Amino acid sequence: MTDDRPTDPGARKPRVALMGEFSAGKSTLANLLLGQNSSPVQVTATQLPPVWYQLGAPGAQRVGTDGSATPLPAEDWTAVSPEDTRMILARLDADILQACDLIDLPGTSDPNMAPDFWDAFLPKVDLAIWCTPANQAWRQSEAALWEQVPPQLWTKSLLLITRIDKMQGERDRARVVARVRSEAGALFRDVLPISLTGALAGRDNDEVLEATGAAALVRFLCHALEGLEPPAPVQAPRRATPRSATIRTAPPPSAGAGTEPRIVPRRITRRKSPDARPRPEHRQA
């Protein structure tokens, strides 16, 4: 089937879910990580189907709830209805997709709504990036939704405070970050602030990427993905997985730049990262 597996089942990569409420910045985050200027999926007031990004020749398919697949135009997915669509499968030639798949899950703001699509996708996810806007960071509705996420994802995932540049001053920004870390830090591997629009506009400038928080996001992904081991290939003999079989991320863009495994989203460069920190112990909420 094409709806929830990569083209080569034996080459299964880590899967990173982008999550959050409506208008929290998930589409902008996807564009930043994928090196795109815009997404065919526009922000609307209605729920959109999940978009699963994989490495491959550019193209997209609508996967129906009946399992059927039909081609989609590259520039416009607005006609896709979530009522009869299981997901959109999009393939791109993006650096980050050499290291992982990205799954942009629909936004929601109703904690009482049963997120049926989560039941289908979250068991296949290895870590998540939850986007929360700084002006309304980590609302009760978000906390209620995150509690429905499998606890094994908590110490692997990131809480990303978006729109941090909308705070009026450094003191306000620091207060928001401190409050969110106090309230939600135990439920995530890390909490980071970011200006997505600033990073997207200045993604060719290292200083801008550091100042906006995009470089810290890339470093987080490097460490998080390097800590994930690939699943055994389908029908492979049962045997211990050697330490050397950990996921290899995208190689440096030029020869002689070093051999350190790393992930470098297209047009987002970074300085050599420090040693990966130890994985945190599982903490209960």
Side-chain angles (χ1 to χ4, degrees):
M1 293 181 64
T2 61
D3 58 345
D4 60 6
R5 301 182 209 177
T7 303
D8 178 4
R12 187 271 238 177
K13 298 174 183 176
R15 296 162 177 171
V16 179
L18 308 182
M19 304 176 67
E21 296 189 327
F22 281 126
S23 301
K26 293 188 294 85
S27 294
T28 306
L29 174 60
N31 294 336
L32 176 66
L33 294 175
L34 294 168
Q36 305 292 305
N37 291 322
S38 62
S39 171
V41 178
Q42 303 299 316
V43 176
T44 68
T46 59
Q47 180 178 325
L48 295 169
V51 182
W52 191 314
Y53 295 97
Q54 293 180 352
L55 181 68
Q61 292 180 326
R62 184 193 73 85
V63 180
T65 52
D66 60 355
S68 62
T70 56
L72 285 177
E75 69 281 357
D76 185 10
W77 301 342
T78 55
V80 175
S81 169
E83 295 181 359
D84 60 356
T85 303
R86 172 176 169 79
M87 60 172 284
I88 294 173
L89 178 60
R91 290 190 170 91
L92 294 171
D93 181 15
D95 291 343
I96 191 172
L97 298 180
Q98 297 182 41
C100 66
D101 289 359
L102 290 181
I103 307 174
D104 188 353
L105 293 178
T108 181
S109 58
D110 183 358
N112 298 315
M113 183 186 73
D116 295 336
F117 55 88
W118 285 12
D119 296 336
F121 286 89
L122 283 185
K124 303 175 177 68
V125 168
D126 297 295
L127 67 93
I129 301 177
W130 185 281
C131 296
T132 184
N135 58 333
Q136 294 181 323
W138 198 242
R139 301 193 302 175
Q140 184 177 357
S141 56
E142 295 178 88
L145 285 168
W146 185 250
E147 288 178 357
Q148 301 178 47
V149 172
Q152 60 266 28
L153 287 179
W154 291 355
T155 55
K156 302 176 184 178
S157 300
L158 172 68
L159 179 55
L160 196 64
I161 306 175
T162 62
R163 301 179 186 167
I164 196 65
D165 52 309
K166 302 302 182 183
M167 297 290 95
Q168 293 185 354
E170 184 61 35
R171 179 175 296 182
D172 290 339
R173 290 191 284 271
R175 286 176 177 173
V176 169
V177 174
R179 177 181 65 79
V180 174
R181 283 177 173 162
S182 174
E183 295 178 0
L187 303 177
F188 292 87
R189 173 167 176 163
D190 206 350
V191 178
L192 296 175
I194 193 170
S195 169
L196 290 171
T197 54
L200 194 60
R203 59 190 173 193
D204 295 320
N205 187 311
D206 285 347
E207 293 183 0
V208 171
L209 295 177
E210 285 289 348
T212 58
L217 169 62
V218 171
R219 287 191 289 267
F220 172 89
L221 284 173
C222 288
H223 299 324
L225 292 176
E226 288 167 8
L228 296 174
E229 293 185 350
V234 175
Q235 298 180 346
R238 295 178 62 87
R239 58 189 177 87
T241 302
R243 294 183 62 86
S244 60
T246 53
I247 284 288
R248 288 187 178 275
T249 51
S254 60
T259 59
E260 178 194 10
R262 60 176 185 168
I263 178 166
V264 185
R266 179 163 300 180
R267 291 187 295 279
I268 298 180
T269 58
R270 69 177 181 90
R271 300 179 178 86
K272 184 175 180 182
S273 63
D275 293 337
R277 60 182 176 180
R279 293 172 58 83
E281 298 181 357
H282 178 73
R283 293 172 288 184
Q284 296 293 334

